[in-house]
């Protein structure tokens, strides 16, 4: 099933997300869980594309390169 | 009677010529702020006593010949930035009724250059909430009070646009200096990540966040940036910088500009695209050359950038997780996405940041600047904050940061420049994106454009 720009099947259900949030120390109500899940679904297409995309072979695996780029 | 005072550079000229004094200018700013706040809800606190004392001291410096570079210039401060002795509310019920113990580095630097903070300006809650922060309410746009001034540096842009103050300090995590600048007809600079220290600024996202000036002209943004930039020894991302070099020439011979399409223009109002074309035409007429250049992955910058922002924001706000029921629900809805971002996705997003930087490197190998829309439309309508592109409505967060997040995610600087008015009477804006630490190139091009045009001098009808 496709959501707005995302795939709902690939995203954990509301109950699972709520349990994860609670384990990590966040108190979120049902409405918030529904909203955050919708947002995750909305971003899922772009995120899934990124997961599947191979890293460049020139060392971009270390995010420190990202900080180095803005250092004079 | 001298030339009109349009920006802070004019104001310094008026001081130097003896046509006005900091005491008069601060008095006028405080009076205008009161009226602007009544009309637009832009101010959280006026710093009148402190400002009047500083103005008297500034007037003495102008009189005895010891004026500093920004002597007597009033400025606003977004209320996520500390001013010593003044509460920083972050636009929230949840923090900040205790006075700040010290000023943020950026405030201290402006004060040391002679400028005078006159207001703490409205912000969306924690610089991430919606247009209707529960504690202070929405800030209306001086160009059309039925619209939002933009966010998150919302009150700062409204106050500058309303001609209450010549400039203000904002913060930018996804466009929060550039978007309200665009929607209020102003010139706003998001500098290279790390160029301006964030010490004393309430954090939202360490990877993407910068402080930046909101001004009425490129020459003002340059003056402010020159004072604000450079390490302070406290912000670990702020390191020694090369000199700021802004050519003084009135032409742009030798400047190469790329005008990418793709994600930058596929959801973009006709009037905004016309503004970009107008800017490009003027730059070319001044001697610039258009060269090819595209950023193939730019379309993913927004969702992936938000993933980083909200994961970092959720981390920062976990300490207050038991009080989220008192936050703006929009803050909670937005940053709660970050709770469930797997670590491998967050780290992949940081790797994507490097990939985007390399795409920019490829463009900047042949171009000195990118010219793109700042945002897809004129200012969002209140109360719902919808964005209208060629007659079609879009949700605020799906549209507003499409062209600005690239700079936050990569760290590249971006300068929002007003390019005229749309048929709806509201400002449109284009953005000049430069390689890291080449803000001077963007400031040069914008200054030349503004010397050839008058869009930056247009005031809202209510302030004319």
């Amino acid at each position: 099933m496709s959501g707005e720009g995302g795939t709902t099947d690939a995203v954990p259900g509301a109950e699972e997300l709520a349990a994860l949030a609670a384990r990590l120390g966040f108190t979120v109500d049902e409405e918030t869980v529904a909203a955050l899940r919708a947002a995750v679904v909305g971003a899922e297409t772009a995120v899934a594309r990124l997961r599947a995309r191979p890293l460049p072979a020139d060392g971009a695996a270390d995010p420190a390169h990202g900080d180095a780029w803005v250092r004079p | 009677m001298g030339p009109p005072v349009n920006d802070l550079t004019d104001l310094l000229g008026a001081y130097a010529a003896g046509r006005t004094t900091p005491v008069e200018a601060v008095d006028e700013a405080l009076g205008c702020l009161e009226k602007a706040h009544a009309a637009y809800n832009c101010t959280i606190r006026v710093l009148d006593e402190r400002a009047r004392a500083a103005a008297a001291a500034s007037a003495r410096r102008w009189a005895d010949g010891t004026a500093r570079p920004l002597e007597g210039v009033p400025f606003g401060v977004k209320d996520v930035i500390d001013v010593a002795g003044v509460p920083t509310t972050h636009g929230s019920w949840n923090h900040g009724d205790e006075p700040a113990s010290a000023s943020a580095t950026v405030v201290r630097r402006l004060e040391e250059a002679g400028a005078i903070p006159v207001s703490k300006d409205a912000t969306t809650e924690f610089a991430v909430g919606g247009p209707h922060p529960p504690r202070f309410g929405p800030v209306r746009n001086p160009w059309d009070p039925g619209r939002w001034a933009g966010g998150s540096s919302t009150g700062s842009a409204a106050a500058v646009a309303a001609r209450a103050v010549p400039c203000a300090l904002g913060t930018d995590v996804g466009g929060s200096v550039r978007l309200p600048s665009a929607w209020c007809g102003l010139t706003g600079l998001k500098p290279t990540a790390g160029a301006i220290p964030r010490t004393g600024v309430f954090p939202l996202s360490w990877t993407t966040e910068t402080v930046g000036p909101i001004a009425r002209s490129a020459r003002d943004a340059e003056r402010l940036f020159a004072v604000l930039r450079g390490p302070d020894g406290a912000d670990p991302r702020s390191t020694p910088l090369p000199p700021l070099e802004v050519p003084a020439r009135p032409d742009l011979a030798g400047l190469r500009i790329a005008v990418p399409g793709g994600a930058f223009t596929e959801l973009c109002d006709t009037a905004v695209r016309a503004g970009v074309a107008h800017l490009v035409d003027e730059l070319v007429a001044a001697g610039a050359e258009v060269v090819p250049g595209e950023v193939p992955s730019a379309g993913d910058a927004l969702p992936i950038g938000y993933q980083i922002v909200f994961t970092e924001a959720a981390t920062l706000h976990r300490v207050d997780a038991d009080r989220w029921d008192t936050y703006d629900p929009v803050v909670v809805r937005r940053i709660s996405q970050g709770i469930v971002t797997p670590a491998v996705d967050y780290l992949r997003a940081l790797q994507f940041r490097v990939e985007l930087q390399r795409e920019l490197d490829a463009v900047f190998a042949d171009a000195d600047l990118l010219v793109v829309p700042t945002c897809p439309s004129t200012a969002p309508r209140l109360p719902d904050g919808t964005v209208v592109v060629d007659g079609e409505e879009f949700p605020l967060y799906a549209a507003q940061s499409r062209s600005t997040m690239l700079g936050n995610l990569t760290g590249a600087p971006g300068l929002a420049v007003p390019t005229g008015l749309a048929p709806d009477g509201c400002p449109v804006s284009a953005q000049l994106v430069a390689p890291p630490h080449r803000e001077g190139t963007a400031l040069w091009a914008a200054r030349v454009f503004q010397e050839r045009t008058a869009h930056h001098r247009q005031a809202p009808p209510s302030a004319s």
Side-chain angles (χ1 to χ4, degrees):
Chain A
M1 187 194 309
S2 286
E4 195 180 339
T7 306
T8 56
D9 291 345
V11 175
E15 205 171 307
E16 191 178 337
L17 292 176
L20 176 60
R23 181 169 74 78
L24 297 177
F26 296 90
T27 310
V28 282
D29 58 24
E30 282 180 19
E31 192 183 341
T32 300
V33 172
L36 82 84
R37 186 170 186 280
V40 172
V41 169
E44 183 62 13
T45 300
V47 174
R49 188 162 51 238
L50 192 53
R51 290 185 195 119
R53 176 169 158 163
L55 280 179
D58 56 357
D62 185 345
H65 286 290
D67 293 337
W69 194 75
V70 293
R71 215 171 289 135
Chain B
M1 182 79 179
V5 173
N6 289 310
D7 61 6
L8 82 79
T9 303
D10 287 339
L11 182 60
L12 289 169
Y15 290 157
R19 292 196 303 273
T20 188
T21 68
V23 171
E24 290 172 349
V26 166
D27 257 353
E28 186 180 341
L30 293 170
C32 288
L33 273 171
E34 191 177 335
K35 289 179 193 156
H37 179 64
Y40 311 121
N41 190 36
C42 55
T43 308
I44 287 178
R45 188 179 301 268
V46 175
L47 311 178
D48 47 359
E49 206 171 302
R50 170 197 183 103
R52 288 183 204 282
S58 274
R60 285 193 293 275
R61 280 182 171 268
W62 278 105
D64 68 18
T66 58
R68 296 162 291 180
L70 299 173
E71 193 68 60
V73 172
F75 68 99
V77 182
K78 180 180 183 179
D79 203 21
V80 294
I81 301 173
D82 287 344
V83 174
V86 180
T88 308
T89 69
H90 316 117
S92 176
W93 292 112
N94 287 281
H95 283 271
D97 286 330
E98 291 295 315
S101 58
S103 286
T105 296
V106 285
V107 172
R108 182 173 50 76
R109 284 184 174 170
L110 290 184
E111 287 192 296
E112 286 171 356
I116 299 171
V118 295
S119 60
K120 298 301 294 287
D121 305 328
T123 172
T124 63
E125 192 178 46
F126 302 120
V128 69
H132 300 272
R135 183 167 182 184
F136 296 105
V139 176
R140 298 185 175 277
N141 192 310
W143 287 89
D144 176 353
R147 299 180 188 229
W148 190 36
S152 60
S153 308
T154 183
S156 301
V160 178
R163 274 46 190 174
V165 287
C167 58
L169 289 171
T171 60
D172 192 315
V173 164
S176 289
V177 161
R178 290 161 290 165
L179 296 173
S181 293
W183 286 329
C184 291
L186 303 171
T187 303
L189 175 65
K190 185 214 86 78
T192 308
I196 295 178
R198 299 157 304 156
T199 310
V201 179
F202 190 76
L204 177 62
S205 163
W206 53 83
T207 299
T208 60
E209 187 162 67
T210 61
V211 181
I214 295 173
R216 292 199 204 128
S217 64
R219 63 183 188 170
D220 283 6
E222 177 187 337
R223 282 178 188 271
L224 292 162
F225 182 53
V227 168
L228 293 167
R229 67 195 295 270
D232 67 350
D235 181 343
R237 290 179 184 267
S238 180
T239 55
L241 301 176
L244 174 63
E245 291 174 352
V246 185
R249 296 182 355 234
D251 68 85
L252 298 172
L255 182 75
R256 301 162 303 164
I257 55 172
V259 190
F264 295 112
T265 53
E266 66 192 17
L267 192 159
C268 189
D269 193 83
T270 301
V272 176
R273 282 188 276 115
V276 173
H278 167 52
L279 172 59
V280 169
D281 286 347
E282 287 295 335
L283 298 184
V284 169
E289 175 193 4
V290 177
V291 297
E294 296 291 339
V295 185
S297 301
D300 283 339
L302 184 61
I304 303 304
Y306 272 150
Q307 198 176 35
I308 290 174
V309 169
F310 296 144
T311 303
E312 294 178 358
T315 305
L316 289 164
H317 281 269
R318 178 156 59 179
V319 67
D320 291 320
D322 60 342
R323 291 194 283 172
W324 279 20
D325 59 338
T326 62
Y327 279 24
D328 176 358
V330 179
V331 174
V332 176
R333 281 202 297 273
R334 299 189 83 200
I335 70 174
S336 62
Q337 301 164 46
I339 299 171
V340 297
T341 301
V344 287
D345 282 355
Y346 172 74
L347 291 167
R348 184 66 186 89
L350 289 175
Q351 292 169 329
F352 176 64
R353 177 184 182 222
V354 181
E355 292 173 75
L356 264 183
Q357 290 167 340
R358 290 181 180 179
E359 289 185 11
L360 284 183
D361 281 339
V363 178
F364 288 135
D366 298 309
D368 302 300
L369 291 174
L370 298 183
V371 185
V372 297
T374 305
C375 50
S377 70
T378 53
R381 272 79 167 168
L382 291 170
D384 50 1
T386 49
V387 165
V388 177
V389 175
D390 289 333
E392 192 177 347
E393 290 192 357
F394 293 87
L396 179 65
Y397 298 117
Q400 66 166 7
S401 300
R402 291 176 63 87
S403 295
T404 48
M405 184 60 89
L406 176 76
N408 301 93
L409 185 51
T410 61
L415 181 68
V417 183
T419 53
L421 301 182
D424 62 14
C426 290
V428 289
S429 173
Q431 186 187 185
L432 300 170
V433 180
H437 304 295
R438 298 292 176 85
E439 287 88 348
T441 308
L443 290 163
W444 170 40
R447 195 204 70 236
V448 170
F449 173 68
Q450 293 180 345
E451 285 169 353
R452 300 170 63 90
T453 60
H455 308 303
H456 64 295
R457 285 197 283 272
Q458 279 188 289
S462 58
S464 296

